[in-house]
Amino acid sequence: MNRATIVLAEDHPSVAEQLRKLLGSAFDVVAVVGHGDALVKTALRLKPDVVVTDIGMPGLDGIRAAQELVHQMPSLGVVFVTVHNDPGLARKALEIGSGYVLKTSAGEELVDAVAAALDSRRFVSAALGPLEPLLGSTARPAPTDRT
């Protein structure tokens, strides 16, 4: 069975390496990039199953990069991994992607969030509370076509 592929975007090299190792235990991390512009170019070229992206990065931030990607690749799973424990930002991110994981919880939750994205389900860090209040009426449906 082929493992799902991931492109990871994180602008802090030490954090990127930790996340790569964590994700590599369950998935094939096919590329690690340090900013949103590189995320867009790399994901469009490699066509991963999921992108995992930080939000705050130099240049094109993770949310804008994800918006561009899902516009061009509607079935792409997107999981945000961030330091921002902010329900408003989580709501905005979930309008685009299917997962929102706090970096402080990544060790326990990130693999599950990616698995949820692959299974067309949503995931949000437990620290943010229940998922339903974070989903606005404009939330993008979880992607369903994984071909």
Side-chain angles (χ1 to χ4, degrees), residues 55-76:
I55 292 177
M57 295 185 291
L60 191 65
D61 67 40
I63 288 181
R64 289 182 18 229
Q67 284 174 318
E68 188 170 327
L69 285 170
V70 298
H71 177 72
Q72 295 187 53
M73 301 169 61
S75 66
L76 179 66

Side-chain angles (χ1 to χ4, degrees), residues 49-134:
D49 297 304
V50 176
V51 296
V52 174
T53 182
D54 188 8
I55 292 177
M57 295 185 291
L60 191 65
D61 67 40
I63 288 181
R64 289 182 18 229
Q67 284 174 318
E68 188 170 327
L69 285 170
V70 298
H71 177 72
Q72 295 187 53
M73 301 169 61
S75 66
L76 179 66
V78 177
V79 175
F80 295 95
V81 59
T82 182
V83 297
H84 302 289
N85 187 352
D86 176 350
L89 186 58
R91 188 175 301 108
K92 182 176 180 179
L94 291 169
E95 289 175 3
I96 303 157
S98 56
Y100 190 92
V101 176
L102 298 175
K103 286 183 180 176
T104 56
S105 306
E108 300 82 32
E109 297 178 338
L110 188 56
V111 169
D112 289 341
V114 172
L118 289 165
D119 197 29
S120 302
R121 293 179 291 115
R122 295 196 179 274
F123 187 98
V124 65
S125 279
L128 285 160
L131 176 64
E132 290 76 24
L134 295 175

Side-chain angles (χ1 to χ4, degrees), residues 2-71:
N2 291 340
R3 292 178 5 143
T5 56
I6 294 177
V7 171
L8 170 64
E10 168 59 55
D11 62 321
H12 295 97
S14 61
V15 175
E17 181 59 20
Q18 290 173 345
L19 294 175
R20 186 196 62 73
K21 285 181 182 176
L22 176 66
L23 292 165
S25 68
F27 311 106
D28 285 335
V29 180
V30 294
V32 179
V33 298
H35 56 85
D37 293 310
L39 173 59
V40 172
K41 289 178 186 174
T42 303
L44 290 174
R45 181 173 47 87
L46 297 177
K47 308 242 185 289
D49 297 304
V50 176
V51 296
V52 174
T53 182
D54 188 8
I55 292 177
M57 295 185 291
L60 191 65
D61 67 40
I63 288 181
R64 289 182 18 229
Q67 284 174 318
E68 188 170 327
L69 285 170
V70 298
H71 177 72

